[in-house]
Amino acid sequence: HLVMGFEEVTFWQRDTLNPSPRWEQIDSSSPRPEAMKRIQRILQAELEDNSPPGILDLTDQSLKMYAIAAILPTTRTRQTIVVISDFANGIVMSNERRELVGRILNHFIGAYKHAVEVDDLHVRLRIQRHHEEIIGSIYDGFGTPDFNVPKLLRKAAQGLRGVGVYRRVMFSLVDKANNTIVGEVDESDDPNVNVAEMTEWSLDSPHDDLQPFVIVNRTVRVVADASKEILANPEVVKKAGMKALAIVPMLNPAGDEAIGTIHVERSDGSTPKQDEIDALVFFGRQLAISIEQCARLNMMEAVLDKFPDPLLIFDRDRRPQYQNHAAGEFFGGQTGWHLRLDSSVVTNELPELGEL
């Protein structure tokens, strides 16, 4: 402001999620209070919600131009504006100064936009890495005692909520036998409300609720206000305090079948951006593979446990990887996959198996 000769260079912000947003000064400068009140009054009167980036001339009641403002790109939850003025001294801005300031502010808008894009990229990469870590931890759980699909989904829900972005993550799965979509796991800030327990819908009626609609159409549904969504269940919305939400289908590898859904609600109350939706869609595909593999592994283990004879599976280095229930009773130790056994004991007990 020293270079341009203005007494007042201030930054203002408003919450875009607030139904009645109000401009508030956010920088530490303290020009004269009467000037700040005038700027705030003009901003409230002249700026519409989510105004596009650009230069705006600010005038007082006499319509003399005293200030110029730079509207910065809106982020997920806030809009910021820079105001350069001289209201306190009542000095009218000349055309030459206005042109100079306009050029400088346009450069600033471009730099701010670039900074927001870089920050968004870092967020996307962090989310991608976090999703990869969740899937990795799920695969690590394969073969551990009693690891099943509900535990897998619980692990995934807790992982998604672990970064503090979501107030609720809920998973639902298709029950093919009954042709329904059923809630399985609900992780939220409110442990007293379990939306999964209130979720069971027939796929024969896709317009009865958001869940069957997403499954049947294999499409994402983003809702800005659940209380106004015609496919949302009003009772569930009220009990869970739902506002903005997104429901993403979990598609099989071929992409032609949805095996379940991911329901998310952000902690800040905003709707997920497209890049966040895209990341969840990809995560859902990976999770669908994990779910199907876990179900097959559980099914195979259940069959092997029904064998009356001891059965052990070894890797190429003769280390035991699995023993069924009969083998556990005969040799001792825990049944299931990835056993922590001394392989020499088993192969000494059963030398003929050690040679396989």
Side-chain angles (χ1 to χ4, degrees):
H1 67 91
L2 294 177
V3 174
M4 293 180 287
F6 289 97
E7 291 286 335
E8 304 149 5
V9 179
T10 53
F11 288 78
W12 300 76
Q13 258 183 17
R14 65 177 173 186
D15 182 1
T16 57
L17 300 179
N18 191 323
S20 302
R22 182 175 177 81
W23 288 101
E24 301 291 345
Q25 188 182 355
I26 61 171
D27 57 327
S28 58
S29 62
S30 55
R32 300 174 189 175
E34 61 273 14
M36 294 304 96
K37 290 180 180 179
R38 179 176 291 184
I39 293 174
Q40 186 179 51
R41 184 173 62 251
I42 294 174
L43 291 178
Q44 289 292 132
E46 296 196 14
L47 262 73
E48 298 178 354
D49 292 345
N50 298 327
S51 300
I55 303 299
L56 178 69
D57 294 327
L58 302 181
T59 59
D60 66 357
Q61 293 179 352
S62 64
L63 300 182
K64 293 180 180 179
M65 188 174 68
Y66 282 84
I68 185 171
I71 306 172
L72 303 180
T74 303
T75 63
R76 184 185 298 277
T77 60
R78 66 182 183 274
Q79 185 174 37
T80 305
I81 189 169
V82 185
V83 178
I84 298 176
S85 61
D86 208 344
F87 280 111
N89 295 321
I91 299 175
V92 178
M93 186 184 301
S94 66
N95 291 332
E96 292 76 13
R97 293 174 80 193
R98 193 261 181 229
E99 183 179 353
L100 172 61
V101 173
R103 289 202 301 267
I104 294 174
L105 289 180
N106 272 319
H107 284 299
F108 182 73
I109 292 172
Y112 184 88
K113 180 181 179 182
H114 178 70
V116 170
E117 291 172 349
V118 170
D119 185 62
D120 286 345
L121 176 61
H122 289 164
V123 170
R124 289 197 300 271
L125 293 175
R126 188 175 74 247
I127 290 174
Q128 180 180 337
R129 287 194 299 269
H130 185 64
H131 287 179
E132 291 171 353
E133 291 171 357
I134 294 172
I135 296 297
S137 69
I138 287 172
Y139 278 105
D140 288 342
F142 282 4
T144 56
D146 301 322
F147 191 74
N148 52 29
V149 172
K151 288 185 178 180
L152 181 156
L153 294 175
R154 181 72 63 184
K155 195 178 190 73
Q158 291 172 345
L160 287 177
R161 280 192 19 96
V163 292
V165 174
Y166 300 115
R167 66 179 292 269
R168 167 170 282 109
V169 174
M170 184 184 75
F171 288 104
S172 300
L173 292 179
V174 171
D175 181 349
K176 291 186 177 180
N178 296 308
N179 198 37
T180 56
I181 176 73
V182 181
E184 295 288 341
V185 169
D186 181 23
E187 284 281 335
S188 73
D189 292 344
D190 186 358
N192 297 318
V193 179
N194 190 327
V195 177
E197 293 178 350
M198 297 182 278
T199 302
E200 183 171 0
W201 300 93
S202 172
L203 298 181
D204 294 328
S205 304
H207 290 89
D208 283 355
D209 189 76
L210 288 165
Q211 293 286 345
F213 180 88
V214 170
I215 290 294
V216 172
N217 292 282
R218 302 194 304 278
T219 186
V220 176
R221 186 78 170 191
V222 179
V223 177
D225 186 349
S227 66
K228 299 178 181 178
E229 168 59 48
I230 59 173
L231 293 179
N233 185 298
E235 182 181 355
V236 175
V237 169
K238 184 177 180 180
K239 284 185 177 180
M242 292 181 183
K243 296 179 182 177
L245 60 88
I247 300 180
V248 177
M250 293 189 288
L251 301 174
N252 65 351
D256 58 0
E257 181 183 4
I259 71 164
T261 63
I262 309 173
H263 169 125
V264 296
E265 299 170 37
R266 290 184 58 89
S267 298
D268 59 16
S270 66
T271 55
K273 288 184 177 180
Q274 187 58 49
D275 55 357
E276 185 179 348
I277 293 296
D278 293 341
L280 285 171
V281 169
F282 184 70
F283 178 76
R285 287 178 179 270
Q286 293 178 303
L287 196 61
I289 296 173
S290 303
I291 291 169
E292 292 182 345
Q293 289 183 347
C294 184
R296 293 189 186 113
L297 192 63
N298 291 157
M299 185 182 300
M300 182 176 69
E301 188 172 346
V303 171
L304 295 178
D305 276 340
K306 291 184 181 299
F307 284 11
D309 298 322
L311 174 67
L312 296 98
I313 298 176
F314 297 85
D315 64 12
R316 62 189 302 170
D317 296 319
R318 301 182 180 182
R319 291 175 302 196
Q321 296 298 303
Y322 172 83
Q323 70 174 2
N324 67 355
H325 185 71
E329 290 184 340
F330 188 80
F331 297 110
Q334 197 170 37
T335 61
W337 293 92
H338 301 306
L339 304 173
R340 304 299 183 186
L341 299 179
D342 184 348
S343 60
S344 63
V345 173
V346 178
T347 53
N348 286 336
E349 289 273 357
L350 296 171
E352 68 278 9
L353 289 181
E355 296 299 320
L356 293 179

PDB file of all heavy atoms in Angstrom, residues 83-113:
ATOM      1  N   VAL A  83      -9.458  -5.442  -0.703  1.00  0.00           N
ATOM      2  CA  VAL A  83      -9.990  -4.100  -0.956  1.00  0.00           C
ATOM      3  C   VAL A  83      -8.884  -3.070  -0.763  1.00  0.00           C
ATOM      4  O   VAL A  83      -8.216  -3.051   0.273  1.00  0.00           O
ATOM      5  CB  VAL A  83     -11.172  -3.776  -0.009  1.00  0.00           C
ATOM      6  CG1 VAL A  83     -11.679  -2.358  -0.272  1.00  0.00           C
ATOM      7  CG2 VAL A  83     -12.306  -4.785  -0.204  1.00  0.00           C
ATOM      8  N   ILE A  84      -8.686  -2.248  -1.784  1.00  0.00           N
ATOM      9  CA  ILE A  84      -7.733  -1.133  -1.712  1.00  0.00           C
ATOM     10  C   ILE A  84      -8.547   0.154  -1.766  1.00  0.00           C
ATOM     11  O   ILE A  84      -9.294   0.395  -2.722  1.00  0.00           O
ATOM     12  CB  ILE A  84      -6.727  -1.192  -2.872  1.00  0.00           C
ATOM     13  CG1 ILE A  84      -5.900  -2.489  -2.785  1.00  0.00           C
ATOM     14  CG2 ILE A  84      -5.817   0.024  -2.860  1.00  0.00           C
ATOM     15  CD1 ILE A  84      -4.940  -2.679  -3.937  1.00  0.00           C
ATOM     16  N   SER A  85      -8.405   0.975  -0.722  1.00  0.00           N
ATOM     17  CA  SER A  85      -9.288   2.142  -0.612  1.00  0.00           C
ATOM     18  C   SER A  85      -8.613   3.274   0.145  1.00  0.00           C
ATOM     19  O   SER A  85      -7.517   3.129   0.676  1.00  0.00           O
ATOM     20  CB  SER A  85     -10.582   1.730   0.109  1.00  0.00           C
ATOM     21  OG  SER A  85     -10.288   1.256   1.415  1.00  0.00           O
ATOM     22  N   ASP A  86      -9.323   4.395   0.151  1.00  0.00           N
ATOM     23  CA  ASP A  86      -8.899   5.564   0.939  1.00  0.00           C
ATOM     24  C   ASP A  86     -10.144   6.264   1.456  1.00  0.00           C
ATOM     25  O   ASP A  86     -10.309   7.477   1.344  1.00  0.00           O
ATOM     26  CB  ASP A  86      -8.060   6.511   0.090  1.00  0.00           C
ATOM     27  CG  ASP A  86      -7.066   7.297   0.935  1.00  0.00           C
ATOM     28  OD1 ASP A  86      -7.253   7.320   2.171  1.00  0.00           O
ATOM     29  OD2 ASP A  86      -6.125   7.869   0.387  1.00  0.00           O
ATOM     30  N   PHE A  87     -11.063   5.473   2.030  1.00  0.00           N
ATOM     31  CA  PHE A  87     -12.319   6.023   2.516  1.00  0.00           C
ATOM     32  C   PHE A  87     -12.099   6.995   3.665  1.00  0.00           C
ATOM     33  O   PHE A  87     -12.817   7.978   3.811  1.00  0.00           O
ATOM     34  CB  PHE A  87     -13.238   4.884   2.977  1.00  0.00           C
ATOM     35  CG  PHE A  87     -13.945   4.190   1.848  1.00  0.00           C
ATOM     36  CD1 PHE A  87     -13.613   2.888   1.510  1.00  0.00           C
ATOM     37  CD2 PHE A  87     -14.938   4.815   1.125  1.00  0.00           C
ATOM     38  CE1 PHE A  87     -14.263   2.233   0.480  1.00  0.00           C
ATOM     39  CE2 PHE A  87     -15.594   4.182   0.089  1.00  0.00           C
ATOM     40  CZ  PHE A  87     -15.258   2.885  -0.247  1.00  0.00           C
ATOM     41  N   ALA A  88     -11.115   6.655   4.507  1.00  0.00           N
ATOM     42  CA  ALA A  88     -10.901   7.484   5.702  1.00  0.00           C
ATOM     43  C   ALA A  88     -10.579   8.929   5.338  1.00  0.00           C
ATOM     44  O   ALA A  88     -11.032   9.868   5.991  1.00  0.00           O
ATOM     45  CB  ALA A  88      -9.780   6.889   6.559  1.00  0.00           C
ATOM     46  N   ASN A  89      -9.793   9.103   4.257  1.00  0.00           N
ATOM     47  CA  ASN A  89      -9.419  10.446   3.847  1.00  0.00           C
ATOM     48  C   ASN A  89     -10.363  11.029   2.799  1.00  0.00           C
ATOM     49  O   ASN A  89     -10.233  12.200   2.430  1.00  0.00           O
ATOM     50  CB  ASN A  89      -7.988  10.448   3.284  1.00  0.00           C
ATOM     51  CG  ASN A  89      -6.967  10.100   4.350  1.00  0.00           C
ATOM     52  OD1 ASN A  89      -7.092  10.529   5.502  1.00  0.00           O
ATOM     53  ND2 ASN A  89      -5.958   9.317   3.985  1.00  0.00           N
ATOM     54  N   GLY A  90     -11.284  10.193   2.317  1.00  0.00           N
ATOM     55  CA  GLY A  90     -12.260  10.684   1.343  1.00  0.00           C
ATOM     56  C   GLY A  90     -11.647  11.068   0.022  1.00  0.00           C
ATOM     57  O   GLY A  90     -12.157  11.946  -0.678  1.00  0.00           O
ATOM     58  N   ILE A  91     -10.541  10.409  -0.348  1.00  0.00           N
ATOM     59  CA  ILE A  91      -9.856  10.747  -1.597  1.00  0.00           C
ATOM     60  C   ILE A  91     -10.420   9.917  -2.739  1.00  0.00           C
ATOM     61  O   ILE A  91     -10.494   8.694  -2.646  1.00  0.00           O
ATOM     62  CB  ILE A  91      -8.342  10.507  -1.463  1.00  0.00           C
ATOM     63  CG1 ILE A  91      -7.786  11.415  -0.355  1.00  0.00           C
ATOM     64  CG2 ILE A  91      -7.630  10.760  -2.792  1.00  0.00           C
ATOM     65  CD1 ILE A  91      -6.322  11.166  -0.075  1.00  0.00           C
ATOM     66  N   VAL A  92     -10.816  10.562  -3.810  1.00  0.00           N
ATOM     67  CA  VAL A  92     -11.335   9.868  -4.988  1.00  0.00           C
ATOM     68  C   VAL A  92     -10.169   9.273  -5.764  1.00  0.00           C
ATOM     69  O   VAL A  92      -9.151   9.930  -5.977  1.00  0.00           O
ATOM     70  CB  VAL A  92     -12.136  10.825  -5.881  1.00  0.00           C
ATOM     71  CG1 VAL A  92     -12.646  10.105  -7.135  1.00  0.00           C
ATOM     72  CG2 VAL A  92     -13.288  11.416  -5.093  1.00  0.00           C
ATOM     73  N   MET A  93     -10.320   8.022  -6.212  1.00  0.00           N
ATOM     74  CA  MET A  93      -9.269   7.354  -6.959  1.00  0.00           C
ATOM     75  C   MET A  93      -9.260   7.851  -8.405  1.00  0.00           C
ATOM     76  O   MET A  93     -10.283   7.844  -9.095  1.00  0.00           O
ATOM     77  CB  MET A  93      -9.495   5.834  -6.928  1.00  0.00           C
ATOM     78  CG  MET A  93      -8.374   5.034  -7.568  1.00  0.00           C
ATOM     79  SD  MET A  93      -8.734   3.251  -7.603  1.00  0.00           S
ATOM     80  CE  MET A  93      -8.952   2.913  -5.865  1.00  0.00           C
ATOM     81  N   SER A  94      -8.100   8.268  -8.889  1.00  0.00           N
ATOM     82  CA  SER A  94      -7.995   8.741 -10.268  1.00  0.00           C
ATOM     83  C   SER A  94      -8.012   7.550 -11.224  1.00  0.00           C
ATOM     84  O   SER A  94      -7.760   6.410 -10.836  1.00  0.00           O
ATOM     85  CB  SER A  94      -6.694   9.530 -10.468  1.00  0.00           C
ATOM     86  OG  SER A  94      -5.564   8.658 -10.325  1.00  0.00           O
ATOM     87  N   ASN A  95      -8.283   7.826 -12.498  1.00  0.00           N
ATOM     88  CA  ASN A  95      -8.313   6.760 -13.502  1.00  0.00           C
ATOM     89  C   ASN A  95      -6.950   6.105 -13.654  1.00  0.00           C
ATOM     90  O   ASN A  95      -6.851   4.892 -13.879  1.00  0.00           O
ATOM     91  CB  ASN A  95      -8.780   7.320 -14.853  1.00  0.00           C
ATOM     92  CG  ASN A  95     -10.236   7.724 -14.831  1.00  0.00           C
ATOM     93  OD1 ASN A  95     -11.031   7.170 -14.071  1.00  0.00           O
ATOM     94  ND2 ASN A  95     -10.600   8.694 -15.663  1.00  0.00           N
ATOM     95  N   GLU A  96      -5.885   6.922 -13.558  1.00  0.00           N
ATOM     96  CA  GLU A  96      -4.536   6.364 -13.712  1.00  0.00           C
ATOM     97  C   GLU A  96      -4.207   5.398 -12.566  1.00  0.00           C
ATOM     98  O   GLU A  96      -3.669   4.308 -12.806  1.00  0.00           O
ATOM     99  CB  GLU A  96      -3.501   7.494 -13.753  1.00  0.00           C
ATOM    100  CG  GLU A  96      -3.559   8.384 -14.985  1.00  0.00           C
ATOM    101  CD  GLU A  96      -4.712   9.374 -14.932  1.00  0.00           C
ATOM    102  OE1 GLU A  96      -5.305   9.540 -13.830  1.00  0.00           O
ATOM    103  OE2 GLU A  96      -5.018   9.978 -15.963  1.00  0.00           O
ATOM    104  N   ARG A  97      -4.532   5.805 -11.356  1.00  0.00           N
ATOM    105  CA  ARG A  97      -4.268   4.925 -10.212  1.00  0.00           C
ATOM    106  C   ARG A  97      -5.145   3.673 -10.278  1.00  0.00           C
ATOM    107  O   ARG A  97      -4.719   2.570  -9.959  1.00  0.00           O
ATOM    108  CB  ARG A  97      -4.526   5.662  -8.900  1.00  0.00           C
ATOM    109  CG  ARG A  97      -3.550   6.802  -8.640  1.00  0.00           C
ATOM    110  CD  ARG A  97      -3.956   7.560  -7.403  1.00  0.00           C
ATOM    111  NE  ARG A  97      -3.546   6.876  -6.173  1.00  0.00           N
ATOM    112  CZ  ARG A  97      -3.997   7.212  -4.962  1.00  0.00           C
ATOM    113  NH1 ARG A  97      -4.878   8.188  -4.842  1.00  0.00           N
ATOM    114  NH2 ARG A  97      -3.584   6.577  -3.905  1.00  0.00           N
ATOM    115  N   ARG A  98      -6.367   3.861 -10.726  1.00  0.00           N
ATOM    116  CA  ARG A  98      -7.272   2.723 -10.851  1.00  0.00           C
ATOM    117  C   ARG A  98      -6.711   1.713 -11.857  1.00  0.00           C
ATOM    118  O   ARG A  98      -6.761   0.498 -11.644  1.00  0.00           O
ATOM    119  CB  ARG A  98      -8.643   3.207 -11.311  1.00  0.00           C
ATOM    120  CG  ARG A  98      -9.745   2.138 -11.155  1.00  0.00           C
ATOM    121  CD  ARG A  98      -9.987   1.448 -12.482  1.00  0.00           C
ATOM    122  NE  ARG A  98     -11.044   0.454 -12.336  1.00  0.00           N
ATOM    123  CZ  ARG A  98     -10.942  -0.782 -12.768  1.00  0.00           C
ATOM    124  NH1 ARG A  98      -9.830  -1.207 -13.342  1.00  0.00           N
ATOM    125  NH2 ARG A  98     -11.941  -1.629 -12.628  1.00  0.00           N
ATOM    126  N   GLU A  99      -6.180   2.175 -13.001  1.00  0.00           N
ATOM    127  CA  GLU A  99      -5.624   1.275 -14.011  1.00  0.00           C
ATOM    128  C   GLU A  99      -4.410   0.537 -13.469  1.00  0.00           C
ATOM    129  O   GLU A  99      -4.261  -0.666 -13.676  1.00  0.00           O
ATOM    130  CB  GLU A  99      -5.249   2.082 -15.256  1.00  0.00           C
ATOM    131  CG  GLU A  99      -4.724   1.215 -16.389  1.00  0.00           C
ATOM    132  CD  GLU A  99      -4.391   2.035 -17.625  1.00  0.00           C
ATOM    133  OE1 GLU A  99      -4.690   3.249 -17.647  1.00  0.00           O
ATOM    134  OE2 GLU A  99      -3.813   1.460 -18.561  1.00  0.00           O
ATOM    135  N   LEU A 100      -3.535   1.249 -12.753  1.00  0.00           N
ATOM    136  CA  LEU A 100      -2.337   0.626 -12.180  1.00  0.00           C
ATOM    137  C   LEU A 100      -2.718  -0.432 -11.143  1.00  0.00           C
ATOM    138  O   LEU A 100      -2.217  -1.569 -11.172  1.00  0.00           O
ATOM    139  CB  LEU A 100      -1.453   1.697 -11.537  1.00  0.00           C
ATOM    140  CG  LEU A 100      -0.249   1.176 -10.732  1.00  0.00           C
ATOM    141  CD1 LEU A 100       0.687   0.390 -11.634  1.00  0.00           C
ATOM    142  CD2 LEU A 100       0.470   2.320 -10.043  1.00  0.00           C
ATOM    143  N   VAL A 101      -3.610  -0.043 -10.244  1.00  0.00           N
ATOM    144  CA  VAL A 101      -4.039  -0.981  -9.200  1.00  0.00           C
ATOM    145  C   VAL A 101      -4.735  -2.188  -9.818  1.00  0.00           C
ATOM    146  O   VAL A 101      -4.545  -3.331  -9.386  1.00  0.00           O
ATOM    147  CB  VAL A 101      -4.971  -0.270  -8.200  1.00  0.00           C
ATOM    148  CG1 VAL A 101      -5.553  -1.287  -7.213  1.00  0.00           C
ATOM    149  CG2 VAL A 101      -4.216   0.815  -7.445  1.00  0.00           C
ATOM    150  N   GLY A 102      -5.540  -1.973 -10.859  1.00  0.00           N
ATOM    151  CA  GLY A 102      -6.230  -3.066 -11.521  1.00  0.00           C
ATOM    152  C   GLY A 102      -5.269  -4.092 -12.096  1.00  0.00           C
ATOM    153  O   GLY A 102      -5.489  -5.308 -11.967  1.00  0.00           O
ATOM    154  N   ARG A 103      -4.185  -3.597 -12.727  1.00  0.00           N
ATOM    155  CA  ARG A 103      -3.197  -4.525 -13.285  1.00  0.00           C
ATOM    156  C   ARG A 103      -2.527  -5.337 -12.185  1.00  0.00           C
ATOM    157  O   ARG A 103      -2.322  -6.551 -12.319  1.00  0.00           O
ATOM    158  CB  ARG A 103      -2.153  -3.755 -14.093  1.00  0.00           C
ATOM    159  CG  ARG A 103      -2.663  -3.192 -15.408  1.00  0.00           C
ATOM    160  CD  ARG A 103      -1.510  -2.928 -16.367  1.00  0.00           C
ATOM    161  NE  ARG A 103      -0.555  -1.987 -15.804  1.00  0.00           N
ATOM    162  CZ  ARG A 103      -0.606  -0.667 -16.007  1.00  0.00           C
ATOM    163  NH1 ARG A 103      -1.588  -0.148 -16.749  1.00  0.00           N
ATOM    164  NH2 ARG A 103       0.299   0.139 -15.479  1.00  0.00           N
ATOM    165  N   ILE A 104      -2.173  -4.667 -11.097  1.00  0.00           N
ATOM    166  CA  ILE A 104      -1.517  -5.364  -9.984  1.00  0.00           C
ATOM    167  C   ILE A 104      -2.444  -6.411  -9.377  1.00  0.00           C
ATOM    168  O   ILE A 104      -2.031  -7.545  -9.102  1.00  0.00           O
ATOM    169  CB  ILE A 104      -1.067  -4.350  -8.910  1.00  0.00           C
ATOM    170  CG1 ILE A 104       0.020  -3.444  -9.478  1.00  0.00           C
ATOM    171  CG2 ILE A 104      -0.581  -5.075  -7.656  1.00  0.00           C
ATOM    172  CD1 ILE A 104       0.421  -2.319  -8.546  1.00  0.00           C
ATOM    173  N   LEU A 105      -3.699  -6.038  -9.200  1.00  0.00           N
ATOM    174  CA  LEU A 105      -4.645  -6.965  -8.592  1.00  0.00           C
ATOM    175  C   LEU A 105      -4.941  -8.147  -9.510  1.00  0.00           C
ATOM    176  O   LEU A 105      -5.151  -9.276  -9.044  1.00  0.00           O
ATOM    177  CB  LEU A 105      -5.937  -6.244  -8.227  1.00  0.00           C
ATOM    178  CG  LEU A 105      -5.837  -5.269  -7.046  1.00  0.00           C
ATOM    179  CD1 LEU A 105      -7.185  -4.609  -6.787  1.00  0.00           C
ATOM    180  CD2 LEU A 105      -5.351  -5.980  -5.784  1.00  0.00           C
ATOM    181  N   ASN A 106      -4.968  -7.930 -10.822  1.00  0.00           N
ATOM    182  CA  ASN A 106      -5.180  -9.040 -11.751  1.00  0.00           C
ATOM    183  C   ASN A 106      -4.047 -10.054 -11.656  1.00  0.00           C
ATOM    184  O   ASN A 106      -4.271 -11.268 -11.716  1.00  0.00           O
ATOM    185  CB  ASN A 106      -5.313  -8.527 -13.186  1.00  0.00           C
ATOM    186  CG  ASN A 106      -6.749  -8.158 -13.533  1.00  0.00           C
ATOM    187  OD1 ASN A 106      -7.681  -8.869 -13.165  1.00  0.00           O
ATOM    188  ND2 ASN A 106      -6.927  -7.045 -14.241  1.00  0.00           N
ATOM    189  N   HIS A 107      -2.825  -9.557 -11.509  1.00  0.00           N
ATOM    190  CA  HIS A 107      -1.680 -10.454 -11.304  1.00  0.00           C
ATOM    191  C   HIS A 107      -1.839 -11.226  -9.992  1.00  0.00           C
ATOM    192  O   HIS A 107      -1.529 -12.420  -9.917  1.00  0.00           O
ATOM    193  CB  HIS A 107      -0.373  -9.660 -11.298  1.00  0.00           C
ATOM    194  CG  HIS A 107       0.083  -9.233 -12.664  1.00  0.00           C
ATOM    195  ND1 HIS A 107       0.393 -10.127 -13.665  1.00  0.00           N
ATOM    196  CD2 HIS A 107       0.269  -7.995 -13.196  1.00  0.00           C
ATOM    197  CE1 HIS A 107       0.764  -9.471 -14.761  1.00  0.00           C
ATOM    198  NE2 HIS A 107       0.697  -8.166 -14.494  1.00  0.00           N
ATOM    199  N   PHE A 108      -2.329 -10.524  -8.967  1.00  0.00           N
ATOM    200  CA  PHE A 108      -2.513 -11.172  -7.667  1.00  0.00           C
ATOM    201  C   PHE A 108      -3.583 -12.259  -7.750  1.00  0.00           C
ATOM    202  O   PHE A 108      -3.431 -13.342  -7.172  1.00  0.00           O
ATOM    203  CB  PHE A 108      -2.896 -10.126  -6.613  1.00  0.00           C
ATOM    204  CG  PHE A 108      -3.057 -10.691  -5.231  1.00  0.00           C
ATOM    205  CD1 PHE A 108      -1.948 -11.080  -4.496  1.00  0.00           C
ATOM    206  CD2 PHE A 108      -4.311 -10.858  -4.678  1.00  0.00           C
ATOM    207  CE1 PHE A 108      -2.093 -11.611  -3.221  1.00  0.00           C
ATOM    208  CE2 PHE A 108      -4.463 -11.389  -3.407  1.00  0.00           C
ATOM    209  CZ  PHE A 108      -3.350 -11.768  -2.679  1.00  0.00           C
ATOM    210  N   ILE A 109      -4.672 -11.982  -8.485  1.00  0.00           N
ATOM    211  CA  ILE A 109      -5.726 -12.987  -8.655  1.00  0.00           C
ATOM    212  C   ILE A 109      -5.164 -14.230  -9.338  1.00  0.00           C
ATOM    213  O   ILE A 109      -5.445 -15.371  -8.941  1.00  0.00           O
ATOM    214  CB  ILE A 109      -6.903 -12.410  -9.467  1.00  0.00           C
ATOM    215  CG1 ILE A 109      -7.631 -11.325  -8.661  1.00  0.00           C
ATOM    216  CG2 ILE A 109      -7.887 -13.516  -9.874  1.00  0.00           C
ATOM    217  CD1 ILE A 109      -8.676 -10.580  -9.466  1.00  0.00           C
ATOM    218  N   GLY A 110      -4.353 -14.037 -10.379  1.00  0.00           N
ATOM    219  CA  GLY A 110      -3.745 -15.162 -11.076  1.00  0.00           C
ATOM    220  C   GLY A 110      -2.831 -15.975 -10.176  1.00  0.00           C
ATOM    221  O   GLY A 110      -2.847 -17.215 -10.206  1.00  0.00           O
ATOM    222  N   ALA A 111      -2.030 -15.273  -9.361  1.00  0.00           N
ATOM    223  CA  ALA A 111      -1.125 -15.975  -8.448  1.00  0.00           C
ATOM    224  C   ALA A 111      -1.900 -16.742  -7.380  1.00  0.00           C
ATOM    225  O   ALA A 111      -1.544 -17.875  -7.022  1.00  0.00           O
ATOM    226  CB  ALA A 111      -0.177 -14.971  -7.789  1.00  0.00           C
ATOM    227  N   TYR A 112      -2.971 -16.138  -6.883  1.00  0.00           N
ATOM    228  CA  TYR A 112      -3.799 -16.802  -5.868  1.00  0.00           C
ATOM    229  C   TYR A 112      -4.472 -18.047  -6.449  1.00  0.00           C
ATOM    230  O   TYR A 112      -4.520 -19.108  -5.813  1.00  0.00           O
ATOM    231  CB  TYR A 112      -4.857 -15.826  -5.354  1.00  0.00           C
ATOM    232  CG  TYR A 112      -5.717 -16.355  -4.229  1.00  0.00           C
ATOM    233  CD1 TYR A 112      -5.326 -16.222  -2.906  1.00  0.00           C
ATOM    234  CD2 TYR A 112      -6.931 -16.995  -4.499  1.00  0.00           C
ATOM    235  CE1 TYR A 112      -6.119 -16.711  -1.871  1.00  0.00           C
ATOM    236  CE2 TYR A 112      -7.732 -17.486  -3.479  1.00  0.00           C
ATOM    237  CZ  TYR A 112      -7.320 -17.337  -2.166  1.00  0.00           C
ATOM    238  OH  TYR A 112      -8.106 -17.827  -1.147  1.00  0.00           O
ATOM    239  N   LYS A 113      -4.968 -17.927  -7.684  1.00  0.00           N
ATOM    240  CA  LYS A 113      -5.601 -19.067  -8.342  1.00  0.00           C
ATOM    241  C   LYS A 113      -4.614 -20.211  -8.496  1.00  0.00           C
ATOM    242  O   LYS A 113      -4.946 -21.382  -8.255  1.00  0.00           O
ATOM    243  CB  LYS A 113      -6.142 -18.648  -9.706  1.00  0.00           C
ATOM    244  CG  LYS A 113      -6.818 -19.775 -10.472  1.00  0.00           C
ATOM    245  CD  LYS A 113      -7.318 -19.296 -11.823  1.00  0.00           C
ATOM    246  CE  LYS A 113      -7.987 -20.438 -12.598  1.00  0.00           C
ATOM    247  NZ  LYS A 113      -8.441 -19.984 -13.945  1.00  0.00           N
TER     248      LYS A 113
END
